[in-house]
Amino acid sequence: MQRALRRLLYAAAIFLTLTPASVFAQNPWNGKVILQGFWWDYYNDNYPNAWHNYVSDLAPRLRDMGIDGVWIPPGIKNAGPNSNGYSPFDHYDLGDKYQKANLKTRAGTKDEYLRLVAVLHANGIDVIQDVVLNHVDNAGSSVGAGGQDPAAYDDGRTSKYKNFRYVSYASPATDESSTDYLARSGRWSKNWPDFYPNQFNNNYNTGDWDAVLFGPDISYESNAYGQSSNASYNPAQSSDYMRTGARNWMVWMKKQTGIDGVRLDAVKNFPYWVVQDVLYNAKYNASWANGGSEMFAVGEYVGGASELDAWINNVKFSNGGSEDLAGTFDFALRQSLKDMTASGGSYDLGSVPSKQQTNRYRTVPFVNNHDTFRPTKDASGNYTGWDSGNELGGGHIDPFDPRLAVAYAIAFAVDGSPQVFFEDLFNIGSTGKRYVHLPTSTTDLPVRDEIANIIWCHQKLNFKKGTYKVRAQAQDLLIIERGYKSGPENSYAIIAANDNWNTWQSANIQTDFGPNRQLHDYSGANGNDIWTDANSRATIWVPPCDGSNLRRGYSIWGPAGVSGGFAPSTRTTTQEWEMADDLGDSHLSSLQQGGKLPAGSTAPRTAGKIFAESGKGITLNLYPTNTSQSLTVSLHNTSGTSVQTVSGAGNLALAYTPSATGFYTVKVNNSSAANAAQSVFVKATYTAPRTASTSSYPARAASGGGKTEGGDSGDPLVAAAVAPEKTGLNNSYPNPFNPSTTVGFSLRQAAQVKVIVYNSIGQVVATLQDGALPAGIYSRTFNAASLPSGLYFVRMQTPETSQTQKVMLVK
């Protein structure tokens, strides 16, 4: 009888009931589904150094799948766009400053970043920003000039490169020399005493907090401050300099971007009292941008259950605190899921609940992330093996493992906000289209149906509304009920897991659904509904992992009658620009945003851009620091035409309803040339479209003009009608050379291009190209007849990318 029933159940096709959906309460704030919206070496040829645009275009698909939040990679300037973002150089550069010979980060420009936040909000999705606060990296100009302080204590790794100076509106880069670099006055400059070792904390690599792993390691102690020995911009520092800097930056970041939460990288490697400080202020001291008590915050702490619980408590009670401000990724639970998938069915599945961390108030269960998952790949991005030496937390779980869905069913059933890894939800490991797919294409970027189904069940059955109850535990069986807690329903869902390869598992369990309730398996593994008996008990069946059923190793039961998709409400976005001389950048290759209003001038300055939907209102609020002077705030369309202007003294408000979707530029100027200089704040509240179509709305249009210096006429060697496959430098020839060499470069599309030659100490010795060019292949001659023998660096720079090539002059 049971065998016949099993055959009937797993052979039956899935039919969702057509009766109206029941009205259920939403999952609570600490039970949301978070997608990691990138993989370790994220890149797509259709979005070169523009990952923000990629995720913007993916957003409607994520909305339709029920994703609550997207964890995005670090969006701050690193040494170059080739970096994944975890080697931060300038926290205040979101892809708007021209430094390190680049405008963009790997993820894009600041305008694209702010658009991403607004588009995700329009789709009802939160934005979780990855934040790196334990170290900075790559001190010096684009060629390293000025980064080294000879007086610095040596940490045995970074060769005393501990001068961090940043461009700003008042101090744009003029060249890549040490003199220019050390005079840059951008916000949150750093000196060698701000890092381990220093005169008060003369230690390094003695523990987690002072471990020099990636770059100079920040010393957050109150006495870790002091001046550089060789920088010309060298303001005095005071007690708690780095901690104050981290706090101020976090508040600025929250206001500037409108992000909803944070993922904190490597929290084991800096003090928990710094975590408490920055999170408390982001939640409660960010004015209108306060995240509040429910702001998402999770720390990456690789450790066992007791270590995770201890870190949460350390953060909670630091600085006199009493609130659980942050959760952790549940690495303890994840290790058991890794062991289960690796055991081939011999793992004791019933033991999984005992492996979880105890403090689960803000916990994040997960199966994979970019730190545990490092495949080796072929040229098309398909898996060829595993870089296990760089995998943390027990290593990867293969997305093609037949027990992947078992792991996800459990991770979604237990307490917390489950995190879904990009490569688990989307198959980019076997399609040959990792780098060439369009995120809008369900063919090029296919979804793993089982993971999508588990997300749907979690959201529609409101797993986290109910109390977590383990109903059955056995070698090959685990059944968890999200049971009675509150509300009109007696229960919400039953999630059952089976890691046996070819044998169905079942158990008769007590439920909170009440007597004689009809239950449906929303996984589709069981084709027929069941009913609880008079004592509220039911027999739950779970398919094996061998693929003989529609589902591998899980079933999910809930009240019959639930159906439909997802339609979260569109949300507005608010972002605030601070216009000050130590922020932004006035360089022609930058976004040219920021800077305080100058004295004696009515020339407008750009605060920033917003991406607004036609017919949805825009509100601008201007907050001057000097309320007695008359100022003007204006909004401009993509043609540069002012569409709305407001002038006056004190706080100003501008309202406008756009007639076209697209970017709108916010500008501010003095109404009178008699005004004194002042900093201002501009806040924009607006609604982006749900569908961004980023290729149709470029954030930065290519500008014309320009001139060629020290080179050829500018005509391409190959007609632009056949564009090269990529932008970059070609091999210079001859090399070594005397006295001249031909520098070749290619443009995939029209762009502003600079080709500059530097000597070994970062001084510009020749400008071979500086201006706009159409797509094509070009050459320029570098004549070094007047220069000494030695190594020279050819740097090609466009708004999209930069490359450096070494050439040797031998006389």
Side-chain angles (χ1 to χ4, degrees):
M1 179 81 174
Q2 288 181 344
R3 288 181 181 175
L5 178 59
R6 286 202 298 270
R7 293 191 188 100
L8 175 63
L9 294 178
Y10 73 71
I14 180 172
F15 293 100
L16 290 181
T17 177
L18 299 179
T19 56
S22 302
V23 178
F24 282 78
Q26 294 296 306
N27 285 303
W29 63 269
N30 56 353
K32 303 298 186 181
V33 176
I34 307 299
L35 172 73
Q36 181 174 3
F38 61 102
W39 60 91
W40 170 240
D41 54 351
Y42 63 93
Y43 194 82
N44 186 291
D45 287 342
N46 299 302
Y47 299 83
N49 300 325
W51 197 251
H52 293 321
N53 291 347
Y54 176 96
V55 178
S56 291
D57 286 341
L58 181 63
R61 290 185 66 186
L62 303 181
R63 171 182 179 267
D64 291 344
M65 283 188 279
I67 299 297
D68 290 310
V70 176
W71 160 18
I72 62 174
I76 60 180
K77 184 65 61 66
N78 283 212
N82 60 316
S83 172
N84 278 295
Y86 292 93
S87 291
F89 172 69
D90 183 357
H91 284 76
Y92 281 98
D93 184 350
L94 302 181
D96 58 312
K97 301 182 186 183
Y98 181 76
Q99 57 184 339
K100 290 292 185 181
N102 283 284
L103 167 63
K104 284 191 168 189
T105 69
R106 190 183 186 111
T109 67
K110 182 178 183 178
D111 292 338
E112 292 165 338
Y113 184 169
L114 301 188
R115 171 169 61 183
L116 165 64
V117 174
V119 168
L120 285 173
H121 286 172
N123 284 278
I125 299 173
D126 287 344
V127 182
I128 312 302
Q129 176 62 67
D130 207 326
V131 170
V132 184
L133 289 176
N134 66 310
H135 72 282
V136 287
D137 203 359
N138 293 294
S141 69
S142 64
V143 295
Q148 192 175 48
D149 188 334
Y153 289 11
D154 195 358
D155 59 20
R157 182 182 178 94
T158 60
S159 301
K160 301 185 179 183
Y161 275 81
K162 296 183 177 182
N163 279 325
F164 287 85
R165 294 296 183 271
Y166 309 121
V167 302
S168 65
Y169 201 90
S171 59
T174 57
D175 59 39
E176 298 303 305
S177 67
S178 58
T179 300
D180 180 77
Y181 176 80
L182 290 170
R184 297 173 185 176
S185 58
R187 189 170 296 185
W188 203 12
S189 60
K190 303 169 185 69
N191 304 322
W192 72 265
D194 302 324
F195 305 98
Y196 295 109
N198 55 54
Q199 65 269 49
F200 298 108
N201 304 292
N202 189 15
N203 54 275
Y204 62 94
N205 289 333
T206 65
D208 290 326
W209 287 2
D210 64 9
V212 184
L213 299 174
F214 309 105
D217 193 66
I218 295 174
S219 177
Y220 278 105
E221 287 80 6
S222 61
N223 55 8
Y225 63 92
Q227 291 184 288
S228 166
S229 73
N230 59 340
S232 56
Y233 177 73
N234 203 11
Q237 297 182 356
S238 57
S239 179
D240 273 321
Y241 178 77
M242 291 303 287
R243 176 174 169 178
T244 301
R247 178 198 310 129
N248 291 344
W249 173 79
M250 182 67 82
V251 171
W252 173 88
M253 182 76 169
K254 191 78 172 60
K255 290 182 175 181
Q256 172 64 91
T257 63
I259 57 172
D260 304 286
V262 293
R263 179 261 186 189
L264 297 170
D265 184 66
V267 294
K268 185 185 291 187
N269 298 111
F270 63 102
Y272 39 75
W273 36 266
V274 175
V275 176
Q276 194 279 340
D277 193 332
V278 297
L279 290 183
Y280 182 87
N281 282 278
K283 289 186 175 189
Y284 302 113
N285 285 327
S287 184
W288 61 265
N290 280 346
S293 62
E294 297 180 359
M295 187 184 90
F296 184 94
V298 62
E300 181 221 11
Y301 191 111
V302 182
S306 61
E307 293 175 289
L308 302 177
D309 291 339
W311 181 82
I312 292 171
N313 281 334
N314 285 334
V315 172
K316 176 178 181 176
F317 295 115
S318 291
N319 307 316
S322 60
E323 179 185 342
D324 271 328
L325 291 170
T328 54
F329 292 98
D330 196 338
F331 273 91
L333 172 67
R334 197 269 171 182
Q335 185 62 58
S336 71
L337 299 178
K338 165 62 180 175
D339 293 342
M340 180 273 295
T341 57
S343 296
S346 63
Y347 189 77
D348 181 4
L349 196 61
S351 69
V352 171
S354 67
K355 306 298 174 63
Q356 291 181 264
Q357 63 181 117
T358 301
N359 188 331
R360 301 194 291 274
Y361 182 59
R362 292 179 176 269
T363 189
V364 177
F366 73 105
V367 175
N368 277 316
N369 66 30
H370 71 291
D371 284 323
T372 70
F373 191 90
R374 299 286 176 88
T376 57
K377 302 176 289 291
D378 62 21
S380 298
N382 290 344
Y383 304 149
T384 59
W386 302 95
D387 182 14
S388 56
N390 285 310
E391 291 181 335
L392 301 179
H396 67 276
I397 295 176
D398 192 332
F400 295 99
D401 191 297
R403 292 178 175 83
L404 178 73
V406 181
Y408 266 95
I410 295 171
F412 272 61
V414 299
D415 286 340
S417 295
Q419 173 240 303
V420 183
F421 183 50
F422 192 98
E423 296 205 39
D424 291 341
L425 179 58
F426 298 105
N427 176 14
I428 56 171
S430 69
T431 63
K433 296 183 177 181
R434 175 185 292 266
Y435 304 118
V436 297
H437 67 267
L438 291 174
T440 53
S441 171
T442 57
T443 302
D444 286 357
L445 185 64
V447 172
R448 285 190 171 86
D449 180 65
E450 288 186 319
I451 309 306
N453 171 255
I454 293 169
I455 295 172
W456 187 94
C457 291
H458 179 278
Q459 302 294 66
K460 300 297 286 190
L461 299 179
N462 295 294
F463 283 15
K464 301 306 160 60
K465 175 84 171 160
T467 300
Y468 170 31
K469 300 180 180 181
V470 178
R471 292 301 196 182
Q473 294 168 281
Q475 180 70 28
D476 293 325
L477 180 66
L478 176 64
I479 301 179
I480 294 172
E481 182 179 18
R482 303 304 309 204
Y484 176 78
K485 185 175 182 181
S486 62
E489 309 84 20
N490 290 329
S491 190
Y492 300 88
I494 295 170
I495 305 96
N498 170 17
D499 72 341
N500 191 286
W501 180 246
N502 55 16
T503 304
W504 281 73
Q505 303 294 313
S506 67
N508 183 268
I509 64 168
Q510 182 66 49
T511 80
D512 284 341
F513 278 102
N516 305 312
R517 290 290 304 276
Q518 182 181 359
L519 304 181
H520 181 80
D521 180 7
Y522 289 96
S523 76
N526 294 278
N528 291 343
D529 288 358
I530 62 175
W531 278 258
T532 59
D533 64 16
N535 296 313
S536 304
R537 298 183 69 86
T539 299
I540 302 300
W541 290 88
V542 200
C545 297
D546 61 2
S548 57
N549 184 263
L550 175 68
R551 301 301 181 202
R552 291 179 181 264
Y554 78 97
S555 60
I556 300 176
W557 303 81
V562 179
S563 62
F566 301 97
S569 299
T570 294
R571 293 163 45 192
T572 62
T573 293
T574 301
Q575 293 157 336
E576 182 180 271
W577 292 262
E578 179 184 355
M579 300 184 68
D581 277 351
D582 63 346
L583 294 174
D585 187 8
S586 57
H587 194 283
L588 291 178
S589 293
S590 75
L591 293 187
Q592 299 179 60
Q593 297 177 359
K596 66 182 180 181
L597 300 184
S601 173
T602 59
R605 286 191 171 176
T606 298
K609 284 184 178 180
I610 60 176
F611 186 67
E613 183 177 15
S614 171
K616 302 291 180 66
I618 298 171
T619 300
L620 300 182
N621 294 101
L622 174 68
Y623 303 103
T625 52
N626 183 339
T627 58
S628 65
Q629 298 180 166
S630 179
L631 304 179
T632 299
V633 58
S634 54
L635 192 65
H636 301 253
N637 62 19
T638 55
S639 299
T641 303
S642 175
V643 294
Q644 189 73 288
T645 299
V646 172
S647 298
N651 297 340
L652 301 178
L654 178 154
Y656 177 72
T657 301
S659 59
T661 294
F663 277 103
Y664 290 83
T665 302
V666 180
K667 296 186 178 184
V668 185
N669 62 276
N670 289 311
S671 302
S672 168
N675 285 359
Q678 68 163 306
S679 296
V680 299
F681 296 82
V682 185
K683 183 174 69 173
T685 300
Y686 63 101
T687 305
R690 285 176 171 168
T691 301
S693 300
T694 59
S695 63
S696 300
Y697 299 96
R700 183 174 167 85
S703 58
K707 61 181 179 178
T708 301
E709 298 180 12
D712 299 334
S713 65
D715 295 329
L717 296 176
V718 176
V722 181
E725 292 185 358
K726 59 184 179 180
T727 292
L729 285 168
N730 303 322
N731 289 332
S732 298
Y733 61 91
N735 188 19
F737 69 98
N738 180 25
S740 63
T741 184
T742 298
V743 176
F745 59 96
S746 300
L747 289 176
R748 185 177 182 178
Q749 58 187 5
Q752 287 279 349
V753 188
K754 280 190 176 183
V755 180
I756 300 173
V757 184
Y758 300 90
N759 62 20
S760 60
I761 60 173
Q763 295 172 320
V764 175
V765 297
T767 299
L768 307 183
Q769 166 67 32
D770 187 2
L773 291 174
I777 301 173
Y778 298 84
S779 69
R780 300 288 183 267
T781 298
F782 172 39
N783 191 322
S786 63
L787 297 173
S789 296
L791 187 65
Y792 292 85
F793 299 87
V794 180
R795 168 82 63 173
M796 176 188 178
Q797 306 153 18
T798 75
E800 302 295 330
T801 188
S802 72
Q803 285 188 349
T804 300
Q805 187 180 94
K806 297 177 183 178
V807 293
M808 178 66 73
L809 173 62
V810 180
K811 291 186 175 180

